[in-house]
Amino acid sequence: MYQQVERVSHDGGMSKQPKYRQVADALRREIDNGTYPPGARLPSESELSARFDASRNTVRSGLGLLVTQGLVTSSQGLGYEVAKHEVFELNASRFEDLSFPQNGDAYSTDVTNAGRRPHQTFRVEIHPAPDDVAERLKVEPGSRTVLRFCHRFVDDVPWSTQATYYPSWLVEEAPRLAEPGDIEQGTTRYLAEHGTEQVGYFDEISTRMPTPDEARRLEIGAGVPVLLWMRTGYSDQRPIRCTVTTFRGDLNRMNYEIGDQAGRENEPQ
Amino acid sequence: MYQQVERVSHDGGMSKQPKYRQVADALRREIDNGTYPPGARLPSESELSARFDASRNTVRSGLGLLVTQGLVTSSQGLGYEVAKHEVFELNASRFEDLSFPQNGDAYSTDVTNAGRRPHQTFRVEIHPAPDDVAERLKVEPGSRTVLRFCHRFVDDVPWSTQATYYPSWLVEEAPRLAEPGDIEQGTTRYLAEHGTEQVGYFDEISTRMPTPDEARRLEIGAGVPVLLWMRTGYSDQRPIRCTVTTFRGDLNRMNYEIGDQAGRENEPQ
DNA sequence: TAGTGGTCTAGACCACCTC
DNA sequence: AGGTGGTCTAGACCACTAC
């Protein structure tokens, strides 16, 4: 059986929304106004089905909208829950004053300072340069690079992945880049000690929905985008590394401090 | 009728995906490997339904996944199409060397240089400060601010919205901020001429799925996140403005150049 | 065991686009 | 007119969680 939803009414040209959108809109309003605060459970599908006089599938379509918009999450057997996010701030402009993320220095201390428990896995590979990385390192696409890869967690929640590519000419000058295990003093410092100082970098920031692979690694649910950060570091001569960081978009924010910040720290008057 | 999909097979513990995911995965592979290049049309739902031996609704679930992941778009009567994006780069660290986005200077020239046609609408309002803005401007939440709002298009495609808030004390010193219409020399320059020079700024970048309102204003389809950029500008004394820019995530990328960039412009050797 | 969400089907009608 | 996607229903069975 099919019941037509009246789409053009006598309200002056406003066309009526489909029923599943009405469901989504109503619930979104109730989430916004605090009827269902972050962490609260929504009514079950069958309850909503009765309330909106809609089939279960229609209600599911509406809830599906909210899920893909990142407002609610669902789990089998448990129900729908209003999403709650606490974001972690990363200061990208202060991130590398001779302490380098790779071995967790800056990141781990940031996380610990925030009263959270950091944890990371780490591996080193020889890897052909992906096209975008090769372009930025000014090497041939597919040529040998050393990839130092890091998977970061905060309180055991996957937080971000970070892949740093070094061109092979640099690895000859600084062989420990290719060795597994941390470089205690930090890779940036280690490179400086071997005659290659990073004097500037170029950051590119973008966003998109995660690939299925990223969604798996970062345990991202539907409706959560990733924040992509690509940093290419330079010596005074040429590119020396390219770092690709993939953040869970719901948990992270990036900052840049540029110029004189005195006006930021002063007390309001 | 219901046909159970075998979920545990004899392949060594790999559990079988639900059918709609198989559909999505198969199509995603074919998109990735170029069977369906960007801009190409996918087979119709009924064709896919036959190919995968699934009901139309199941095929729709699979296609829905790809849509919410931003890989394909759909339009009534036309079919499904592989999404294609050309991204526009915005250099945030060079954005304000005394040319200010508000009147379109930097942005319009950037767009024109890229061979595209810029276009924007503009309005000025007195607006109570939103909480996050008030916090950054160090004023009371809800206190009066001047809001200069800009809606930008490129080749008539909605590109971004930008809202700049000025605290009321500043408007007393620089009254033209509250007047509608462009400030020819740019607001930053205008402010400098009136004794308030911006000496530094603080940028915050985040991402999330668009609100229904943003989706409407930016004509964002499902599966496209927004990129949020909040810039707070400071004099040597205190905050003087807060600019909130909302980008379509599929069309924009942000850049920062920090430190010496000589190594970036050099030729590869 | 009961309740929740997850998957799937079959079939209906509607709205949009192209010819 | 005929094809495409968009909305909606009714009902089935499965998987997970809680008690």
Side-chain angles (χ1 to χ4, degrees), chain A residues 52-184:
Chain A
F52 290 101
D53 185 33
S55 76
R56 187 178 158 223
N57 280 336
T58 299
V59 166
R60 281 181 63 79
S61 297
L63 289 164
L65 262 190
L66 300 181
V67 169
T68 61
Q69 289 166 357
L71 263 105
V72 309
T73 60
S74 71
S75 21
Q76 217 170 25
L78 287 175
Y80 292 83
E81 194 169 290
V82 180
K84 53 171 186 285
H85 307 305
E86 359 168 21
V87 313
F88 183 80
E89 306 220 6
L90 183 140
N91 190 310
S93 54
R94 259 202 297 217
F95 202 48
E96 294 176 341
D97 298 323
L98 278 187
S99 69
F100 190 59
Q102 211 64 339
N103 53 7
D105 272 1
Y107 197 84
S108 295
T109 53
D110 271 13
V111 171
T112 307
N113 289 344
R116 314 290 290 275
R117 194 166 40 79
H119 156 231
Q120 54 193 334
T121 68
F122 180 71
R123 68 170 199 271
V124 179
E125 296 176 4
I126 306 292
H127 206 83
D131 287 2
D132 51 351
V133 170
E135 187 189 331
R136 285 162 180 77
L137 289 179
K138 294 182 182 165
V139 300
E140 289 300 313
S143 64
R144 278 165 48 102
T145 54
V146 166
L147 164 59
R148 297 176 72 88
F149 186 88
C150 188
H151 194 162
R152 298 215 169 92
F153 303 79
V154 173
D155 293 342
D156 293 321
V157 176
W159 215 257
S160 61
T161 64
Q162 184 166 298
T164 300
Y165 297 85
Y166 297 92
S168 51
W169 64 263
L170 181 58
V171 178
E172 287 166 25
E173 297 178 12
R176 282 182 58 198
L177 286 179
E179 292 169 20
D182 283 358
I183 297 176
E184 309 77 35

Side-chain angles (χ1 to χ4, degrees), chain B residues 95-110:
Chain B
F95 201 48
E96 294 176 339
D97 298 324
L98 278 187
S99 69
F100 190 58
Q102 209 65 340
N103 53 6
D105 273 0
Y107 196 85
S108 294
T109 53
D110 271 12

Side-chain angles (χ1 to χ4, degrees), chain A residues 9-44:
Chain A
S9 43
H10 304 294
D11 56 2
M14 287 277 294
S15 59
K16 202 171 181 181
Q17 293 276 355
K19 205 186 260 189
Y20 76 97
R21 283 186 189 279
Q22 296 178 36
V23 172
D25 290 345
L27 291 173
R28 185 179 11 250
R29 271 194 303 275
E30 292 173 353
I31 289 169
D32 287 344
N33 74 21
T35 307
Y36 302 110
R41 261 207 53 195
L42 256 42
S44 73

Side-chain angles (χ1 to χ4, degrees), chain B:
Chain B
M1 205 219 302
Y2 177 79
Q3 282 174 242
Q4 166 57 347
V5 177
E6 192 181 332
R7 215 161 292 249
V8 177
S9 43
H10 305 293
D11 56 2
M14 287 278 294
S15 60
K16 201 170 181 182
Q17 293 276 354
K19 204 185 262 189
Y20 76 96
R21 282 187 190 278
Q22 297 178 34
V23 173
D25 289 345
L27 291 172
R28 183 177 15 249
R29 272 195 303 276
E30 291 172 355
I31 290 170
D32 287 345
N33 75 18
T35 308
Y36 302 110
R41 261 206 52 193
L42 256 41
S44 72
E45 292 178 349
S46 55
E47 286 176 282
L48 293 172
S49 177
R51 168 176 164 193
F52 291 101
D53 186 33
S55 76
R56 186 178 160 225
N57 282 334
T58 299
V59 167
R60 281 180 62 79
S61 296
L63 288 164
L65 262 190
L66 300 180
V67 170
T68 62
Q69 288 166 357
L71 262 121
V72 310
T73 60
S74 71
S75 24
Q76 217 170 23
L78 287 175
Y80 292 82
E81 196 169 287
V82 180
K84 53 170 186 287
H85 309 305
E86 355 169 24
V87 312
F88 183 79
E89 305 223 5
L90 182 138
N91 188 310
S93 53
R94 255 203 299 218
F95 201 48
E96 294 176 339
D97 298 324
L98 278 187
S99 69
F100 190 58
Q102 209 65 340
N103 53 6
D105 273 0
Y107 196 85
S108 294
T109 53
D110 271 12
V111 171
T112 307
N113 290 344
R116 313 291 289 277
R117 194 166 39 78
H119 155 231
Q120 53 193 334
T121 67
F122 181 71
R123 67 168 200 272
V124 179
E125 295 177 4
I126 306 292
H127 207 81
D131 287 2
D132 50 353
V133 171
E135 186 189 332
R136 285 162 180 78
L137 290 179
K138 294 182 183 165
V139 299
E140 290 298 313
S143 64
R144 278 164 49 103
T145 54
V146 166
L147 165 60
R148 296 177 72 89
F149 187 88
C150 187
H151 195 161
R152 298 215 170 91
F153 303 79
V154 173
D155 293 343
D156 293 321
V157 176
W159 216 257
S160 61
T161 64
Q162 184 167 297
T164 300
Y165 296 85
Y166 296 93
S168 51
W169 65 262
L170 181 59
V171 178
E172 287 166 24
E173 297 178 12
R176 282 183 59 199
L177 286 179
E179 292 169 21
D182 283 357
I183 297 177
E184 308 78 36
Q185 71 269 50
T187 45
T188 304
R189 206 183 305 259
Y190 168 69
L191 284 175
E193 290 164 5
H194 285 68
T196 303
E197 195 184 350
Q198 175 176 298
V199 297
Y201 46 80
F202 181 66
D203 281 10
E204 297 164 89
I205 300 166
S206 58
T207 183
R208 58 170 166 71
M209 297 312 283
T211 64
D213 212 55
E214 290 167 341
R216 191 173 39 74
R217 272 203 295 268
L218 293 174
E219 291 176 22
I220 295 182
V224 177
V226 292
L227 189 61
L228 294 174
W229 174 33
M230 195 174 226
R231 169 166 291 188
T232 311
Y234 301 92
S235 71
D236 54 0
Q237 296 293 323
R238 49 186 175 176
I240 57 175
R241 61 168 250 255
C242 187
T243 301
V244 183
T245 308
T246 307
F247 293 109
R248 275 185 59 156
D250 57 342
L251 300 175
N252 291 279
R253 184 161 66 192
M254 294 183 62
N255 295 338
Y256 286 84
E257 295 172 352
I258 295 181
D260 183 350
Q261 299 281 310
R264 188 155 81 90
E265 277 97 31
N266 287 345
E267 284 307 300
Q269 49 187 41

